[in-house]
C-alpha cells in the first residue's frame, strides 16, 4: 500500500506540474464577472491565468433603469417638432410615435433572443463574430469606436449643455463657446466616473433615471389635468392638413426612432447581468413599452398646450411647455431635461465601453 500511495501521490504531483506548465502559457484575460469577488482566504493557484475582473451585479431594476435612462435623453424634448414637421398633423404624429415604439420593441426582442443565445458583452460585435466571422465584426467595432458612439455621445452632451446653460441666458441663445465648453466638461466628468468605478457609474445611472422620470411625470400629469379641464381643441380634426407620403413618413420615422435610440444598450453588458436568461428579456419587455407610453403621453401633453404651428415655431418644446404651464416654476424643466440628457450620455458611455 505504501508503494501504491507513493505512486498515486507522484502522479498527482506530475499532473499539477503538467497543468501548471500548460496554464502558464495562457495569456492574461480581462473578464466581466457577475459574481461577487472571491474572498482573500482563497488564493489564486500558482501558474493559473490572471483574471482582471470588474465586479458588478446588474439586476432587473438596474437593467430597466439602463434601458429607460439611455433611451429617454434629449430626443423627446427635441424630436416632436421634427416628426410633426414631416407629417403635418397631430393624429399622424401620435401614430408615428406609437409605431416607432412598437418597432423598437420588436428590434429589442430580437436582441434579447440573441443575448440569451450568445451571452457575451459587446452588443452587436459578438453576434457578428458568431454569424459572419471576424472581418464584419471588426469593421463594425471600428466604425462604432471612431464614428457612431463618439458622435452620439457628443450630440447628447451638446444637448445637455444647451439646456443647462439656457436659464443663465434668458431671452437669448447661450453663446456657442459656453455650450461647447460645458459639453466638453460633461464628457470628461462622465468618462472619469465610469473609468474610476463601475458601481459608481451604475448608481449614477439609477439616480439620473429617477430624476428624468420626475420631469416626465410632471409633463404627463400636467397634460392629463389640462385634458380633464377641457383643453381638447387642438385634437379636433387631428388628420386635417396632413402630408402623408412615403418620403414624409420615412423622415418622420427617422426622427422618431432617434428618440428611441438606446433600446439595444443592455446587450452590451450581458455578462454583468444577474440571470441574463430572465432579466435581459424582462428588462426589455418592461422598459421599452414604458418608454413608448411615456412618449405618446408627453406628446399629447404638448398638444394640449400648443397648436401644431406653435410647436413647430418653438425652439425648445419642453421649455415652452414649462413656461406656459408651470410658471413661475418653469425653471425646473431645463434643469431636469439637463438631468435627462446627462443620464442618457452616462448610459451610452457605460455600455459602449464594453
Amino acid at each position: 500500500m505504501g508503494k501504491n500511495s507513493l505512486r498515486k501521490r507522484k502522479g498527482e504531483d506530475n499532473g499539477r506540474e503538467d497543468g501548471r506548465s500548460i496554464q502558464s502559457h495562457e495569456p492574461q484575460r480581462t473578464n466581466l464577472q457577475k459574481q461577487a469577488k472571491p474572498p482573500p482566504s482563497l488564493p489564486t493557484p500558482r501558474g493559473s491565468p490572471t483574471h482582471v475582473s470588474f465586479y458588478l451585479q446588474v439586476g432587473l431594476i438596474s437593467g430597466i433603469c439602463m434601458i429607460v435612462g439611455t433611451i429617454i435623453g434629449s430626443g423627446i424634448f427635441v424630436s416632436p417638432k421634427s416628426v410633426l414637421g414631416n407629417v403635418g398633423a397631430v393624429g399622424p404624429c401620435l401614430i408615428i410615435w406609437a409605431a416607432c415604439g412598437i418597432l423598437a420593441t420588436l428590434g429589442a426582442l430580437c436582441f434579447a433572443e440573441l443575448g440569451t443565445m450568445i451571452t457575451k458583452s459587446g452588443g452587436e460585435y459578438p453576434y457578428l463574430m458568431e454569424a459572419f466571422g471576424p472581418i464584419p465584426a471588426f469593421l463594425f467595432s471600428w466604425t462604432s469606436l471612431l464614428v457612431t458612439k463618439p458622435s452620439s455621445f457628443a450630440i447628447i452632451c451638446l444637448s445637455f449643455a444647451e439646456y443647462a446653460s439656457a436659464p443663465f441666458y434668458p431671452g437669448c441663445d447661450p453663446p456657442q463657446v459656453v455650450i461647447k465648453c460645458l459639453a466638453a466638461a460633461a464628457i470628461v466628468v462622465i468618462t472619469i466616473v465610469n473609468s474610476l468605478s463601475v458601481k459608481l457609474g451604475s448608481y449614477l445611472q439609477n439616480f439620473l433615471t429617477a430624476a428624468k422620470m420626475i420631469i416626465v411625470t410632471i409633463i404627463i400629469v400636467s397634460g392629463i389635468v389640462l385634458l380633464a379641464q377641457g383643453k381638447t381643441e387642438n385634437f379636433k380634426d387631428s388628420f386635417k392638413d396632413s402630408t402623408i407620403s412615403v418620403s414624409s413618413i420615412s423622415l418622420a420615422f427617422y426622427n422618431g426612432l432617434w428618440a428611441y435610440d438606446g433600446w439595444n444598450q443592455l446587450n452590451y453588458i450581458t455578462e454583468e447581468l444577474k440571470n441574463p436568461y430572465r432579466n435581459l428579456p424582462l428588462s426589455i419587455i418592461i422598459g421599452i413599452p414604458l418608454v413608448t407610453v411615456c412618449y405618446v403621453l408627453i406628446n399629447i401633453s404638448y398638444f394640449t398646450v400648443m397648436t401644431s404651428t406653435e410647436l413647430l415655431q418653438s425652439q425648445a418644446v419642453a421649455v415652452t411647455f414649462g413656461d406656459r404651464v408651470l410658471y413661475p416654476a418653469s425653471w425646473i424643466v431645463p434643469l431636469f431635461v439637463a438631468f435627462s440628457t446627462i443620464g442618457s450620455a452616462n448610459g451610452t458611455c457605460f455600455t459602449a465601453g464594453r
Side-chain angles (χ1 to χ4, degrees):
M1 291 185 60
K3 291 181 179 180
N4 292 335
S5 62
L6 184 61
R7 289 197 190 103
K8 185 177 180 181
R9 195 179 309 133
K10 188 175 180 180
E12 290 174 354
D13 292 339
N14 290 335
R16 280 197 294 268
E17 289 175 2
D18 293 338
R20 183 165 60 247
S21 63
I22 293 172
Q23 291 175 350
S24 61
H25 295 291
E26 291 187 14
Q28 293 186 355
R29 294 181 298 172
T30 301
N31 290 343
L32 298 173
Q33 300 285 348
K34 297 188 290 288
Q35 67 270 18
K37 188 175 181 179
S41 59
L42 298 177
T44 303
R46 182 180 176 184
S48 63
T50 304
H51 296 269
V52 182
S53 303
F54 302 93
Y55 296 97
L56 176 66
Q57 292 185 347
V58 178
L60 178 61
I61 300 300
S62 296
I64 296 173
C65 288
M66 184 62 63
I67 292 176
V68 175
T70 306
I71 293 178
I72 301 179
S74 60
I76 189 57
F77 309 110
V78 177
S79 295
K81 185 167 63 173
S82 302
V83 175
L84 179 63
N86 285 290
V87 294
V90 175
C93 180
L94 296 178
I95 292 175
I96 291 293
W97 279 105
C100 287
I102 294 172
L103 185 60
T105 303
L106 294 176
L109 289 175
C110 294
F111 261 58
E113 180 72 18
L114 289 171
T116 53
M117 292 176 62
I118 306 171
T119 56
K120 296 179 181 179
S121 295
E124 293 90 342
Y125 176 79
Y127 310 148
L128 292 172
M129 178 71 78
E130 293 286 341
F132 302 107
I135 294 179
F138 169 77
L139 292 175
F140 171 81
S141 62
W142 183 82
T143 306
S144 297
L145 178 66
L146 294 183
V147 181
T148 308
K149 296 299 182 181
S151 59
S152 177
F153 192 25
I155 291 170
I156 296 171
C157 287
L158 283 170
S159 300
F160 156 75
E162 201 166 336
Y163 275 97
S165 57
F168 299 98
Y169 296 91
C172 63
D173 295 332
Q176 289 297 313
V177 175
V178 174
I179 293 176
K180 291 180 180 179
C181 290
L182 191 57
I187 291 173
V188 171
V189 170
I190 291 173
T191 304
I192 291 175
V193 167
N194 284 275
S195 299
L196 291 177
S197 173
V198 179
K199 284 187 177 181
L200 182 59
S202 177
Y203 293 154
L204 179 62
Q205 183 67 23
N206 292 347
F207 169 76
L208 293 173
T209 301
K212 73 177 60 182
M213 291 308 295
I214 292 175
I215 187 61
V216 168
T217 303
I218 290 174
I219 294 175
I220 291 174
V221 171
S222 301
I224 292 174
V225 171
L226 292 173
L227 285 175
Q229 293 175 352
K231 300 285 186 178
T232 59
E233 58 271 12
N234 293 335
F235 296 97
K236 296 177 181 178
D237 298 326
S238 297
F239 291 86
K240 185 180 180 180
D241 299 328
S242 60
T243 55
I244 304 299
S245 65
V246 175
S247 60
S248 64
I249 293 176
S250 300
L251 290 172
F253 262 96
Y254 177 80
N255 288 281
L257 288 173
W258 161 252
Y260 285 94
D261 184 43
W263 52 265
N264 61 335
Q265 294 299 303
L266 198 60
N267 289 67
Y268 281 78
I269 56 172
T270 305
E271 293 179 33
E272 294 169 276
L273 282 174
K274 289 191 293 186
N275 191 6
Y277 301 101
R278 171 184 177 271
N279 289 336
L280 179 60
L282 200 56
S283 298
I284 289 171
I285 291 171
I286 296 174
I288 299 181
L290 175 62
V291 173
T292 304
V293 171
C294 290
Y295 277 6
V296 173
L297 292 178
I298 287 173
N299 277 276
I300 291 174
S301 298
Y302 288 158
F303 287 120
T304 58
V305 176
M306 293 172 277
T307 63
S308 299
T309 304
E310 291 172 339
L311 192 144
L312 291 173
Q313 293 175 349
S314 174
Q315 294 297 324
V317 180
V319 174
T320 303
F321 180 89
D323 291 338
R324 296 191 179 187
V325 177
L326 303 176
Y327 185 83
S330 58
W331 57 271
I332 67 174
V333 174
L335 175 64
F336 280 97
V337 170
F339 281 150
S340 177
T341 51
I342 202 70
S344 181
N346 181 75
T348 301
C349 182
F350 184 91
T351 56
R354 271 63 187 166

